[in-house]
Amino acid sequence: MATVMQKIKDIEDEMAKTQKNKATAHHLGLLKAKLAKLRRELLTPSTKGGGGAGEGFDVTKSGDSRVGLVGFPSVGKSTLLNKLTGTFSEVASYEFTTLTCIPGVITYRGAKIQLLDLPGIIEGAKDGKGRGRQVISTARTCNCILIVLDAIKPITHKRLIEKELEGFGIRLNKEPPNLTFRRKEKGGINFTSTAANTNLDLDTVKAICSEYRIHNADITLRYDATADDLIDVIEGSRVYIPCIYVVNKIDQITLEELEILDKLPHYCPISAHLEWNLDGLLEKIWEYLDLTRVYTKPKGMNPDYEDPVILSSKKRTVDDFCTRIHKDMLKQFKYALVWGSSAKHKPQRVGKEHELEDEDVVQIIKKI
Ligand SMILES: Nc1nc2c(ncn2[C@@H]2O[C@H](COP(=O)(O)OP(=O)(O)OP(=O)(O)O)[C@@H](O)[C@H]2O)c(=O)[nH]1
Ligand SMILES: [Mg+2]
């Protein structure tokens, strides 16, 4: 293991020394690809047992969505879990108070959101320091990550934590790269771009591909993709997770400092201890989870507004709705009546492929 870590360090050093310009682009691309491969090596659990590098905490998923608290020690993660969920997780002024994953539940707008308190992580976590890897593996399973920062030193800590998560294949507040990469039998490397493209040139693309021993492939960019984006697509197994930077302990900074933090994108300043802006945070979590509430309407009855079916924004067809209600529902499905913003009429008669929207009302008509 030490040798892989040493190789990673050597490459990182070389990258830091290399000036970024047109002439070095392909060399940097090559180094990035080497780095990605080494990081993967580090994360793949060894067959000899032990290590268990890629494993998170053994906490059962429950509820409609999962949110994880990640941050340095003593920033107030446990305090926040306690205030938001009423669950007890020990709070103390010393570091590494929390040693395992403590789940709690928030009920918000009819949805059950599982909130995970996690041990503090430190720099180098992804490379095996502390419980870092377990924490980050668990973070990978979340639908939204809250990076909790201390208001006294938010920005430097933010960078360090992002680096840890990124090294583990987590991409924050980012869409999967809009590029196609197709391997083929022959014909060499074919590189086309349908958008203005300033980051990647054919030499760099070829250097990256050769590092993966790929000699024939069609690559098409639809936006200004970077070498990192291309490597992400070749590597696969990346997760794209929305993230909120929760700046805690704002009771310890000035109003002027708070105003700056408040304007940064994806930031949410709070004081967990004094319960300042927890409603604002909940609203932001809701927004970032992008859930769809669907109310069921049994025939001849009023919709059940108390207990919505919660769907994710990516899986919210009538088909997904039926599957969530009962596994045999689809067999009996004839059509559905939909009221709400996804419906053109009141109600609209739709099939299984129809995409539902937040707060739609649905009645399923079964075959007789
Ligand atoms: N001033 C201030 N202190 C806070 C706030 N929230 C938490 N604290 C204090 O910060 C210390 C650490 O809080 P914890 O909730 O244990 O922090 P943690 O992030 O869970 O720490 P680890 O489990 O060690 O990673 C405690 O002394 C808390 O009382 C806050 O909003 N303002
Ligand atoms: Mg804690």
Side-chain angles (χ1 to χ4, degrees), residues 55-262:
E55 303 221 344
F57 294 98
D58 193 12
V59 171
T60 315
K61 261 201 179 184
S62 79
D64 301 301
S65 217
R66 177 180 255 197
V67 176
L69 296 166
V70 179
F72 276 80
S74 287
V75 291
K77 301 178 293 301
S78 300
T79 308
L80 185 56
L81 177 94
N82 295 346
K83 297 287 185 183
L84 288 179
T85 69
T87 311
F88 177 75
S89 181
E90 196 177 337
V91 169
S93 56
Y94 52 83
E95 303 202 327
F96 298 109
T97 309
T98 310
L99 295 172
T100 183
C101 173
I102 315 268
V105 181
I106 307 169
T107 306
Y108 190 72
R109 300 192 182 170
K112 286 198 168 46
I113 300 165
Q114 184 180 45
L115 185 65
L116 301 182
D117 183 20
L118 290 162
I121 62 170
I122 44 175
E123 204 180 349
K126 64 180 183 315
D127 307 324
K129 289 211 184 126
R131 297 200 175 245
R133 273 203 222 157
Q134 250 182 314
V135 171
I136 304 173
S137 292
T138 307
R140 269 184 76 105
T141 68
C142 292
N143 303 100
C144 177
I145 293 175
L146 306 186
I147 294 187
V148 186
L149 302 163
D150 188 319
I152 303 289
K153 44 202 157 185
I155 310 286
T156 44
H157 277 182
K158 168 183 182 270
R159 300 247 163 79
L160 289 170
I161 291 183
E162 279 176 337
K163 199 167 161 239
E164 297 298 318
L165 297 179
E166 270 162 21
F168 222 89
I170 300 176
R171 299 292 173 263
L172 302 170
N173 293 329
K174 198 169 179 277
E175 291 293 319
N178 190 1
L179 63 88
T180 46
F181 183 89
R182 229 183 17 249
R183 285 182 188 232
K184 48 185 190 177
E185 291 296 313
K186 51 186 180 214
I189 301 289
N190 230 316
F191 174 56
T192 48
S193 178
T194 60
N197 152 238
T198 58
N199 292 308
L200 278 171
D201 54 34
L202 183 61
D203 273 352
T204 310
V205 172
K206 279 188 171 161
I208 292 169
C209 287
S210 74
E211 180 57 32
Y212 287 97
R213 303 200 198 307
I214 296 168
H215 304 295
N216 303 292
D218 288 331
I219 298 146
T220 311
L221 307 189
R222 284 183 220 87
Y223 74 116
D224 199 1
T226 62
D228 292 303
D229 294 337
L230 178 61
I231 292 167
D232 276 353
V233 171
I234 297 176
E235 279 279 332
S237 78
R238 301 296 189 238
V239 288
Y240 296 82
I241 306 180
C243 169
I244 302 169
Y245 302 98
V246 180
V247 184
N248 189 32
K249 309 195 187 182
I250 55 168
D251 49 293
Q252 295 190 324
I253 57 172
T254 64
L255 205 57
E256 289 73 26
E257 289 170 313
L258 177 60
E259 273 168 8
I260 296 169
L261 291 172
D262 202 25

Side-chain angles (χ1 to χ4, degrees), residues 239-306:
V239 288
Y240 296 82
I241 306 180
C243 169
I244 302 169
Y245 302 98
V246 180
V247 184
N248 189 32
K249 309 195 187 182
I250 55 168
D251 49 293
Q252 295 190 324
I253 57 172
T254 64
L255 205 57
E256 289 73 26
E257 289 170 313
L258 177 60
E259 273 168 8
I260 296 169
L261 291 172
D262 202 25
K263 289 201 183 72
L264 299 172
H266 309 298
Y267 272 63
C268 186
I270 63 159
S271 167
H273 185 64
L274 298 177
E275 303 186 24
W276 291 355
N277 199 28
L278 298 189
D279 287 342
L281 175 59
L282 282 172
E283 208 159 300
K284 209 166 177 99
I285 293 173
W286 179 260
E287 180 195 328
Y288 278 53
L289 287 174
D290 198 14
L291 298 172
T292 304
R293 289 163 290 176
V294 180
Y295 306 113
T296 48
K297 179 178 155 38
K299 207 175 166 201
M301 284 158 71
N302 285 329
D304 180 2
Y305 289 115
E306 294 303 309

